[in-house]
Structures are given as C-alpha cells and as structure tokens.
Amino acid sequence: MTLRSRLRSITEYNISTFRRHYVSEIAGSLGDLGTFLPIALALAANGTVSLASTLIFSGIFNIITGAVFGIPLPVQPMKAIAAVAITRSFSPGSIAAAGLFVAAVLFLGSITGLLQWFTRVIPIPVVKGIQVGAGLSLVMAACTTLHDLGWIHPSWADNRIWAIAVFIALLLTNSTIKRLPYALIVFIIGLVLAIIRSAFASHLPSFHIWHPPLVIPHGSQWSKGAIDAGLGQLPLTTLNSVVAVVHLAADLLPSVPTPTVTAIGLSVSLMNFVGVWFGAMPVCHGSGGLAAQYRFGARSGASVIFLGVVKLLLGLIFGESLVDLLHRFPKALLAVMVIAAGLELVRVGESLNTSGARDLARHAEDADAGAETESRIHIGEEERTRRWMVMMVTVGLLVGFKNDAVGFVGGMLCHWAYELPGYVERGKRRWGEGRVRLP
C-alpha cells in the first residue's frame, strides 16, 4: 500500500467513524485530560513553559497524529522531565534542552533500527508488565490526589463528595448505562464548576492573542536539562511511549493498521524538535493516554483531531489567561478519570496467557494456520506460571520503585533466569554433537 492510499484509507476511516459515533469520539478525546492538565498547569505556573504554546503545539500534534495514524494516539507530557522541572524550578531553556536531548536519542534509535531490534527482543510478559505497572501507577497517583481532599474542602466544588459521586457514575457506566458519554459529561460539569469559581474570583479568561516566545538553551542549561531530566526520561519514553503504545494499539484496535515502532519514535522526536523552541512542554505518546481515550469511547484518529482543534483555538485566542480557569477545574473529577484510565490499562494483563498475547498468537499461527486461534494455543501450566511471574516482577518493581527502567530490568532478569536451564541444556547438546569446540 502506497503512502497516499494509506492516508486516504485512514482519512475515510476517521470520517466514517466520527459520523457514526461522534459523541463517543468527542467523549473519548477528553480521556487523557486528567494527565495532561495538571502537569501542563504546574509547569506553566512555575514559568517553565508557556501554556499557550503548549496548547497550540500539542493541538497541532494531535491533529497530525490523528490524521496520519488513524488511532486515538495521545500527546502527553514527558512525565519524568516534568517532575524534575517542577521540583527544581527549571528555566524554560533547561526543560527545552531536556526535550531536545530525548528527541535526538530517539531519532537516532528510529533511523538506525535500534528501536525495532529493542522491541523484538523484549518478551511479551515484560511488555504487559510495563503496561499494567503504568496503569497501577496512574491509579495510585489519582488516589493520592483524592486522599489530599477533604469532605468539604478545598472547595464546595472540589471535594470527596464530588469524587464519590463521579466514581459511582463511573461504575454505572461499566454496567447498566454503558452508552452514556461519561468523560464528556464529567468534563462539562467540571468546566461549569471551574467557570463559576473563576467568576466569583473575577479571574475569567480574556482574549489574548498568542505571541510565541523563542527559547534557545545555552551554556549549563544543556547539561542540566539533558543529565538531570533527559536521562531519566529516556527509559520511560522508550518503554511506555513507544514499545508499550505500539503493543497496546494492536491489542485494543486490531482492525486498524498498527503504527510501527519506528513511526512512533520519529513522531515523538519530531514533536519535540519543533515545539520546545517556542516554550511548549516536551511531549510524547503514552499507553496510559491511549487506554484512557479508548476507555471513554475513542476508536479513531478523529477523536484526537477534534481535541487538537479545540486546543489550538484555545491557545491562539485565550493563551495564558486560561491558567486561572484551568487551575480551578475540580481535582476530584480529574482524579476519577485518571483511575478509570489506569484500570483500563491494567486490564491488558488478563490476556497474557490467551490469544490476546501477540507472541502466543503468532506461534499458534505458525503451528497450525488452519485452526481457530484459541484452540491453537497450547501452553502448559508451568509456562503460564512463568509468564505470570515475569509480568508481576516487572509490575512490582516498576510500581515499588516508581521507575519503568527498574521494572524492565527486573522483568528481563526474571525472564532470563527461567530461560537459563534451557540455554545450558542446548549448550550441552551442541557440545555433545561436536558443534562447539574450544579454541
């Protein structure tokens, strides 16, 4: 399929999906706001990034990725960079340097094929462990936010009572009222509450045409950004924003062509090569955001194209004046939306030992192309236990240390420990057959 025909096919799919399910697509586009808004606002409040530039460029990237990939691919903050930038009060130049460093490394990995090789050698239980761990991390972060709320504090519009109400509504949408556009309704309620609170405080947004700042890192900002924040972001971006998101896209949307690892890597690189020079927040794609948007109804690139248009218009027209309004969006509502997204991501772990696991399905197809997929998967109880243990070691260490790289290394070590007896046995057999000789 040529590039032109592929883009035409994706465009037709986006348009037809939006026409048939426009409410679900719009609702799904809002699924990732629970992650995007708090980080973007915290960085903007510190003067580290420009909220207007972040909205404009992330909106442009939403539109492009939705049109090119045809799936609800999120545009998320680079969380490790954001965490360091917030706690250490980074300058705009330092956070730009961090984003450019990660972009450069990922670009080299994409064009040299290293990302493809890396993806091939990672066992599926480790990949699913990263996904499940990311989901649990989202749930835990949201619960921390809810724990900090009181029953009637910090505001009549943002407290535990609101959190319980929207959580009960979430449970109902999982059972009796599944067709309800939950995310859209919760977002509208939160926006109305934020507007009321802003009106009482006389801080409503005003027209503020965007004047793009120019950010050029210099001197020590390069080393500070790259070493203090960029190095910590690399494993997170590679594992969760490239490898895990490709696997999750194949699991959730099997009828849509899955983006390649190289394409996702180049997408992350190019987004940051462009946006950070104008004060935009470093961004990536992420499995948590994809799970969130899928959970709330998004099934095509039309959802994120819609979101991108809204972001673009808001950034161009209102710019930095939106900071106060968005700061008053109830954290209780955002936290429950994050919990829903995290649980959706955790669910991918249940397919570890079924046809949902790509390695088992592939081996089964090789073994018997004429049988049904489920019947072709023959995996013993011992192998099931091993795969489960590798995934849980990955999950446990990722969540415990709050570090994707630690979880990845632990899962790989567990996998290799299980494989070691087989390596030794094959070595003995090759030695006995005379196929291995000492020099």
Side-chain angles (χ1 to χ4, degrees), residues 346-372:
V346 168
R347 285 180 55 192
V348 304
E350 68 180 357
S351 64
L352 175 67
N353 292 322
T354 70
S355 60
R358 298 174 70 187
D359 57 339
L360 295 183
R362 184 169 59 249
H363 293 327
E365 288 171 1
D366 293 340
D368 184 5
E372 291 296 326

Side-chain angles (χ1 to χ4, degrees), residues 310-323:
V310 174
K311 284 182 181 178
L312 182 60
L313 293 176
L314 289 176
L316 287 172
I317 297 173
F318 295 106
E320 307 299 332
S321 69
L322 287 168
V323 172

Side-chain angles (χ1 to χ4, degrees), residues 318-349:
F318 295 106
E320 307 299 332
S321 69
L322 287 168
V323 172
D324 287 329
L325 173 65
L326 295 179
H327 261 305
R328 288 177 170 81
F329 196 98
K331 293 181 176 62
L333 275 60
L334 288 176
V336 175
M337 292 176 68
V338 171
I339 288 175
L343 294 177
E344 183 67 30
L345 194 51
V346 168
R347 285 180 55 192
V348 304

Side-chain angles (χ1 to χ4, degrees), residues 248-437:
L248 186 64
D251 291 340
L252 296 180
L253 300 161
S255 61
V256 185
T258 303
T260 65
V261 170
T262 299
I264 296 295
L266 288 174
S267 176
V268 174
S269 300
L270 295 175
M271 287 192 299
N272 291 285
F273 280 146
V274 174
V276 297
W277 299 105
F278 301 96
M281 167 179 71
V283 292
C284 59
H285 306 303
S287 57
L290 177 57
Q293 290 170 166
Y294 180 89
R295 165 63 182 81
F296 292 118
R299 295 296 184 272
S300 76
S303 61
V304 289
I305 291 174
F306 171 83
L307 177 64
V309 171
V310 174
K311 284 182 181 178
L312 182 60
L313 293 176
L314 289 176
L316 287 172
I317 297 173
F318 295 106
E320 307 299 332
S321 69
L322 287 168
V323 172
D324 287 329
L325 173 65
L326 295 179
H327 261 305
R328 288 177 170 81
F329 196 98
K331 293 181 176 62
L333 275 60
L334 288 176
V336 175
M337 292 176 68
V338 171
I339 288 175
L343 294 177
E344 183 67 30
L345 194 51
V346 168
R347 285 180 55 192
V348 304
E350 68 180 357
S351 64
L352 175 67
N353 292 322
T354 70
S355 60
R358 298 174 70 187
D359 57 339
L360 295 183
R362 184 169 59 249
H363 293 327
E365 288 171 1
D366 293 340
D368 184 5
E372 291 296 326
T373 301
E374 289 288 349
S375 64
R376 284 188 261 121
I377 295 176
H378 303 290
I379 174 174
E381 189 63 33
E382 183 179 355
E383 179 63 17
R384 289 176 181 270
T385 302
R386 289 182 179 183
R387 290 168 63 86
W388 181 259
M389 182 58 69
V390 171
M391 184 181 78
M392 293 311 298
V393 167
T394 306
V395 171
L397 293 179
L398 188 156
V399 173
F401 285 92
K402 298 180 180 179
N403 190 305
D404 287 48
V406 173
F408 170 74
V409 171
M412 291 301 299
L413 289 175
C414 184
H415 170 76
W416 287 331
Y418 279 126
E419 294 293 318
L420 184 59
Y423 294 147
V424 173
E425 185 62 31
R426 285 193 292 272
K428 289 181 178 178
R429 187 168 61 252
R430 291 169 64 89
W431 177 272
E433 295 171 353
R435 297 164 62 187
V436 177
R437 293 188 177 92

Side-chain angles (χ1 to χ4, degrees), residues 228-254:
D228 293 354
L231 286 177
Q233 181 67 46
L234 271 176
L236 179 60
T237 296
T238 304
L239 297 170
N240 187 48
S241 300
V242 179
V243 177
V245 81
V246 169
H247 283 271
L248 186 64
D251 291 340
L252 296 180
L253 300 161

